């Protein structure tokens, strides 16, 4: 399964694999922590700066972690780490599975199926909390994949804190199931629309792991 190892290496610190697109946030945070720690050794006055700066840097490293996964076999797998917020039948026969991602979750999203990315559309919008019903009008990126099950739609939705969605692959790219395809910074939601005739295998409130949790039932 192909992955962008060189890009991941550019966004790595102290041997920890970090999400692509993390550097603009991580580098200044880690640099501030390093400088304040060095100065705190010479002057106690810098301790007041070093402690929160180090805590923030550690938090950033945790948030932008990007662990390797052993991809599950199945027709449709979860594109996101999080908790199933809702399962809703759609008028066209599809079923929408909404997955809420808290700031503690891994925020790298993965392809739910193998196929070709037929469109990646950025839609401007608001930034209300991702668990709010009005979040459907939030800033979002709408993906469409041409797969063996037909057209599959996936939507990355920004939350109250998330202010940037970073797609990793452009339209026309062929992706493997479970391949990394994008990042949402700081809390968000991912919706996946299962085709008509595909039974949902998860329940509201169930935890999901991107690339691991199977969403459909045989």
């Amino acid at each position: 399964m192909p992955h962008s190892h060189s890009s991941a290496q550019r966004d790595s610190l102290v041997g920890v694999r970090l999400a692509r697109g993390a550097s603009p946030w991580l580098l200044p945070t880690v640099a501030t922590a390093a400088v304040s720690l060095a100065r705190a050794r010479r002057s106690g006055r810098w301790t007041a700066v070093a402690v929160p700066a180090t805590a923030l840097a550690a938090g950033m490293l945790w948030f932008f972690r990007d662990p390797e996964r052993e991809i599950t076999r199945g027709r449709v797998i979860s594109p996101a780490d999080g908790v199933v917020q809702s399962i809703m039948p759609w008028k066209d026969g599809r079923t929408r599975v909404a997955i809420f991602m808290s700031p503690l979750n891994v925020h790298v999203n993965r392809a739910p199926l193998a196929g070709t990315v037929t469109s990646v559309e950025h839609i401007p919008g608001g930034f209300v909390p991702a668990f709010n019903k009005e979040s459907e009008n939030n800033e979002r990126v709408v993906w469409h994949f041409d797969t063996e099950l037909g057209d599959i739609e996936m939507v990355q939705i920004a939350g109250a804190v998330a202010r940037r969605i970073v797609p990793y692959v452009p339209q026309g790219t062929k992706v493997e199931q479970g391949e990394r395809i994008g990042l949402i910074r700081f809390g968000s939601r991912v919706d996946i629309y299962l085709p008509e005739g595909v039974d949902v295998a998860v329940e509201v409130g169930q935890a999901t792991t991107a690339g691991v949790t199977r969403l459909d039932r045989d």
Side-chain angles (χ1 to χ4, degrees):
M1 182 175 61
H3 292 296
S4 300
H5 292 292
S6 60
S7 297
Q9 289 170 355
R10 287 196 300 269
D11 287 323
S12 296
L13 290 172
V14 295
V16 178
R17 174 157 186 152
L18 302 174
R20 290 167 53 193
S23 294
W25 292 83
L26 275 173
L27 293 181
T29 305
V30 172
T32 300
V35 170
S36 60
L37 280 171
R39 294 186 176 181
R41 293 174 181 175
R42 302 170 188 162
S43 172
R45 295 180 180 179
W46 275 92
T47 302
V49 177
V51 171
T54 302
L56 180 60
M60 286 284 190
L61 286 169
W62 175 253
F63 177 85
F64 285 116
R65 69 197 185 281
D66 183 13
E68 295 292 346
R69 299 273 168 83
E70 184 174 343
I71 305 304
T72 297
R73 293 184 180 276
R75 289 185 297 175
V76 186
I77 58 176
S78 177
D81 286 23
V83 174
V84 177
Q85 178 181 350
S86 66
I87 299 173
M88 183 179 297
W90 227 239
K91 293 181 179 179
D92 59 8
R94 297 180 300 167
T95 302
R96 186 188 73 182
V97 179
I99 301 171
F100 175 71
M101 305 166 65
S102 81
L104 298 179
N105 291 125
V106 172
H107 275 62
V108 175
N109 299 143
R110 294 173 179 262
L113 294 89
T116 300
V117 178
T118 55
S119 69
V120 184
E121 181 184 9
H122 173 260
I123 300 176
F127 295 97
V128 302
F131 53 80
N132 192 308
K133 184 177 180 180
E134 295 179 0
S135 65
E136 294 177 9
N137 297 317
N138 275 12
E139 181 105 1
R140 59 200 183 279
V141 171
V142 180
W143 296 75
H144 283 271
F145 303 88
D146 181 20
T147 75
E148 62 179 10
L149 296 181
D151 176 69
I152 298 294
E153 180 179 353
M154 187 189 90
V155 185
Q156 294 174 297
I157 303 173
V161 182
R163 298 287 167 158
R164 180 79 189 277
I165 300 173
V166 184
Y168 288 169
V169 297
Q171 178 180 336
T173 303
K174 291 184 178 181
V175 295
E176 297 294 329
Q177 188 175 46
E179 184 176 343
R180 297 168 174 87
I181 59 170
L183 168 74
I184 314 179
R185 293 174 180 161
F186 303 116
S188 43
R189 195 178 101 196
V190 175
D191 293 349
I192 177 76
Y193 292 81
L194 303 184
E196 185 175 6
V198 175
D199 294 329
V200 182
V202 292
E203 301 177 346
V204 173
Q206 180 176 336
T208 62
T209 302
V212 176
T213 305
R214 186 172 175 180
L215 298 183
D216 72 297
R217 192 188 311 279
D218 288 328

